[in-house]
Amino acid sequence: MRGIKNVEIHATDISNEFLEFAQKAHYPATAADDMSAEEKTFFDVSGGQLCPVASVRSAVTFLPPCSFVDSVLTESYDVVFVSNALTYVTPAEQATAIANISHYNMRYLVLTAFHQQTIKPDLMANGYEAVPDNLEEIHNSWGDRIAKDAPLDHSWMLPPFSKIQDYEYKYCALFRKLR
């Protein structure tokens, strides 16, 4: 948790349907099959359904639908997650989104599926650095997303880990804000 306490989660998506699904928070019990024992402690299984435990559910406030690219959020957040969304925008929109997020993100930014060729300058321009702790282990844990023929520019698919130029950014998911 890197010193983060009193977790309060604000969640949103551009799609109202996705938000409604997230608010229901019921998933097939088989979703737990690949979870670690620690991860499973955050869920209850009942009637073939997997559901977050009450303490997790009560920590989440759902915001109205909005775009992560250009929404103006007035609160500050220690951690911001952008999961798989950057793969659906252009490199220019990715740069705009990261610049926008940097205004309300104070400590850590978690990104998955982004434009690898421009991620380092996008992050550095906004005061972020890669957190390389367990970088290779985290990358390899993406499982079925890793493919030897994954595109090098951007995709939800990832190439196998290698120490290519700027691998610390291209294969990273956790970034720390320096300023």
Side-chain angles (χ1 to χ4, degrees):
M1 290 295 292
R2 295 184 177 268
I4 296 170
K5 297 174 177 42
N6 302 322
V7 175
E8 182 180 331
I9 301 166
H10 289 180
T12 190
D13 192 277
I14 198 166
S15 166
N16 192 51
E17 291 80 24
F18 279 19
L19 282 173
E20 289 173 0
F21 180 79
Q23 286 174 311
K24 290 177 185 167
H26 290 275
Y27 311 98
T30 56
D33 290 352
D34 294 329
M35 287 185 190
S36 69
E38 182 182 7
E39 291 168 330
K40 289 178 184 178
T41 66
F42 296 100
F43 295 90
D44 289 323
V45 179
S46 175
Q49 293 283 305
L50 184 71
C51 183
V53 297
S55 62
V56 171
R57 289 180 67 110
S58 67
V60 180
T61 300
F62 287 92
L63 302 177
C66 67
S67 167
F68 70 97
V69 175
D70 55 12
S71 291
V72 177
L73 300 180
T74 57
E75 289 210 38
S76 296
Y77 297 94
D78 286 328
V79 182
V80 172
F81 285 78
V82 180
S83 299
N84 300 332
L86 290 169
T87 194
Y88 297 107
V89 300
T90 67
E93 289 170 322
Q94 173 176 287
T96 298
I98 292 171
N100 181 39
I101 291 165
S102 74
H103 294 294
Y104 55 83
N105 176 229
M106 302 298 111
R107 294 181 68 191
Y108 292 101
L109 178 59
V110 181
L111 302 176
T112 61
F114 45 75
H115 295 268
Q116 288 189 346
Q117 301 307 318
T118 59
I119 194 64
K120 183 177 181 181
D122 293 345
L123 289 164
M124 291 182 72
N126 292 286
Y128 291 98
E129 70 175 358
V131 178
D133 303 9
N134 304 313
L135 175 66
E136 187 171 357
E137 179 185 349
I138 293 168
H139 177 82
N140 290 338
S141 73
W142 289 108
D144 63 349
R145 290 183 57 186
I146 298 175
K148 64 180 178 190
D149 57 349
L152 294 177
D153 54 355
H154 82 286
S155 168
W156 65 271
M157 294 172 44
L158 297 167
F161 183 86
S162 64
K163 291 191 175 182
I164 60 173
Q165 182 177 353
D166 298 328
Y167 75 93
E168 301 95 331
Y169 284 82
K170 293 176 180 178
Y171 294 151
C172 198
L174 178 61
F175 304 92
R176 174 180 28 248
K177 191 165 185 186
L178 299 172
R179 53 182 164 148

